[in-house]
Amino acid sequence: MRSILSRMFLLIICFCTVFFIEIDTVFILAFFSVFALTSFNYYNDNRLFRGILAALFAVLACLFPPFRLFLPVISYDIFTTKYYLIWLPYCIGILLATETYSTLHLMFLIISTGISGFLCFQTVSYDQLEQRFKKSRDDSIELHLVLEEKNRSI
């Protein structure tokens, strides 16, 4: 649940750039494609396929400027897949954004990518902590049942 909230938070942050640029059909297409991609990646467990889709979006960001504004949402997927080779087209997309957009937009991309990494780290650590809690709870219940059985036999 935390993962989908993090993704939607990043999507809302990226969509707020609508106040600073002109809206055209490519921007709307970029929004819907990143929404579909991040929703699909939430439900898909195949890391390789998620990585390929993230790389494809990063390549689209290199070709079409409005796609660059949604790169922080995709960076969340890149952080979760841990395929660091995907960062190459991602970084090229950010470098190309310096030619297309102002320094303010570049700072937005860098800061929101940092926020994306932080949210991914928090979500992963929370999920690991939750798994450890469930395992210790199951072990505790199992130990309690064994001791209860032992007490009955005495």
Side-chain angles (χ1 to χ4, degrees), residues 28-42:
I28 300 298
L29 179 66
F31 173 74
F32 285 128
S33 64
V34 77
F35 181 79
L37 182 68
T38 195
S39 299
F40 178 76
N41 284 342
Y42 175 73

Side-chain angles (χ1 to χ4, degrees), residues 120-144:
C120 182
F121 174 75
Q122 290 294 328
T123 302
V124 167
S125 63
Y126 178 79
D127 289 342
Q128 289 173 348
L129 185 64
E130 186 179 27
Q131 289 297 329
R132 283 181 38 207
F133 172 72
K134 287 179 180 178
K135 183 181 180 323
S136 67
R137 186 182 61 193
D138 291 344
D139 290 345
S140 173
I141 290 172
E142 185 177 318
L143 182 63
H144 177 72

Side-chain angles (χ1 to χ4, degrees), residues 78-79 82-88:
I78 295 172
F79 281 123
K82 298 181 182 173
Y83 288 133
Y84 299 114
L85 189 60
I86 301 171
W87 284 104
L88 182 64

